[in-house]
Amino acid sequence: MTILLFSIAASLEGFFFGSGKAAVVAAVVMIVLLGFAWALWGMDRRLNELEKECGLKHKKDV
Amino acid sequence: MSGKLWKWGGVALLLMVVWDSFTTPMQPGWVASEVDKSDANAWLVELSAAGHPLVDGVNDNTAGFQVIFKSESAALCAEVISVEAHKLVCRLTPPDTLPRPSLDAFVMTPGAGSLMLRNAVSVAGAVKGVPHKNCEIGQMQPSTLPATVPFQPNILETIRNLMFHVPMWFAMFFIMSLSFVSSLLYMRTGDIKYDQRADAASRTGLLFGVLGLITGSVWARFTWGAWWVADPQLNGALVTVLVYTGYRILRAATGDDDRVPRLAAAYNVFAFILLVVLLMILPKYNVSLHPGKDGSPGFNTYDLDNTLRSMFYPAVIGWGMLGYWIYTLGLRMIRVHRQLLNR
């Protein structure tokens, strides 16, 4: 188990941090998160239009 | 404008958390030891480290390193032979008498503080006896490295998942609390807007519950060696998610019956009580692998340091804000849908 943990830790060190790939992974996760937020924003805008069409006021939630 | 601000503020917090949690190095720590006992008078002990490099490059640079092996009150100094980025080799004169047949390694480093490895060396042949002391232990050194996440045995680099897994459950609790309060208000007032809120919140809460299960399962695979273990906390989380799935099925299956909101509200109150019992009360009374379950869950006992706190608290706020945004969108969709149906 210890050897397994060490091999995982060592490979992470060399592959993930040692070579600077951590920054690439972080950037990819950030882009995915930003894309998700953008999709939510798009949904938000379309809902605004629908609410106007339906005559619904944008009520304050909870 | 303020509506835009809090939504994008939450996203900005999460972006900051993602960047920090992936790019902040881990404090070094020992993960394994290997002992060469071919020379009976001088054992070679090789300690392997993970995390931030002990020294830059691979050149030997033993200055400032001190290795001490301890067995209860007995302390033995070892001679440092070489230090590499993630490896230290030292020479130890095997002891004749020891209080217990193993030695813990304490390494004073010039930058990373004092690093310890329990049971680094097994001394099966030593006679149990009065401990002899041949080495003075120096002052424990604090780490002077720039921001690092703490080294935790077994958890190692996966500690970064703390910024995802735990805040997702917090967000789930927050959203499900909204759902619970809305159901109570519906039962009291009969106002349909509260039922809509409970409906929207339960959807969002369920989403975060599933995300919490997935991130927890991945974490368990790397730290406990299995995707799922029979643990009261894990099973409680799964049952909670299944109970809320039942709530969704109940709402979907009963259609537009006028009795649905009242039935759903009663079920939702029951589901939230079950959530509190299964996730917060029962695991405290059982042996659990999950951290913080054998006592009052104070964050200090979770080995959070200031670097982790500076990421963890923004993560809790960020995931909470994102969850609330998703909830408001769901609520508005339900309102628009109902409005269109009533036309």
Side-chain angles (χ1 to χ4, degrees), chain B residues 303-325:
Chain B
D303 299 307
L304 280 183
D305 68 357
N306 285 340
T307 309
L308 270 189
R309 283 192 187 93
S310 71
M311 299 178 216
F312 179 69
Y313 294 138
V316 170
I317 297 167
W319 285 113
M321 286 164 93
L322 188 71
Y324 189 75
W325 188 7

Side-chain angles (χ1 to χ4, degrees), chain A residues 6 13 44 48 51 53 62, chain B residues 7 31 157 327 332 343:
Chain A
F6 177 61
E13 280 310 313
D44 207 319
N48 268 335
E51 280 168 342
E53 277 177 32
V62 184
Chain B
K7 288 164 188 168
V31 288
E157 298 286 5
Y327 153 70
R332 288 164 63 194
R343 271 187 176 182

Side-chain angles (χ1 to χ4, degrees), chain A residues 25-51:
Chain A
V25 173
V28 170
V29 175
M30 285 167 78
I31 289 167
V32 170
L33 192 62
L34 214 52
F36 181 65
W38 193 253
L40 286 182
W41 186 248
M43 227 182 274
D44 207 319
R45 278 190 295 116
R46 281 195 293 277
L47 269 170
N48 268 335
E49 286 165 18
L50 270 172
E51 280 168 342

Side-chain angles (χ1 to χ4, degrees), chain B residues 233-305:
Chain B
Q233 182 78 20
L234 273 67
N235 289 343
L238 179 63
V239 171
T240 303
V241 166
L242 289 175
V243 166
Y244 275 103
T245 307
Y247 175 80
R248 298 305 323 155
I249 292 169
L250 172 75
R251 290 203 78 109
T254 44
D256 288 332
D257 192 315
D258 289 343
R259 289 167 299 179
V260 171
R262 191 156 288 274
L263 187 64
Y267 186 102
N268 200 19
V269 169
F270 158 76
F272 187 78
I273 293 169
L274 209 60
L275 178 149
V276 173
V277 170
L278 288 174
L279 290 183
M280 299 181 82
I281 300 173
L282 273 186
K284 278 177 167 289
Y285 294 100
N286 287 285
V287 177
S288 174
L289 281 171
H290 206 275
K293 288 300 155 195
D294 47 0
S296 183
F299 284 138
N300 287 335
T301 60
Y302 293 175
D303 299 307
L304 280 183
D305 68 357

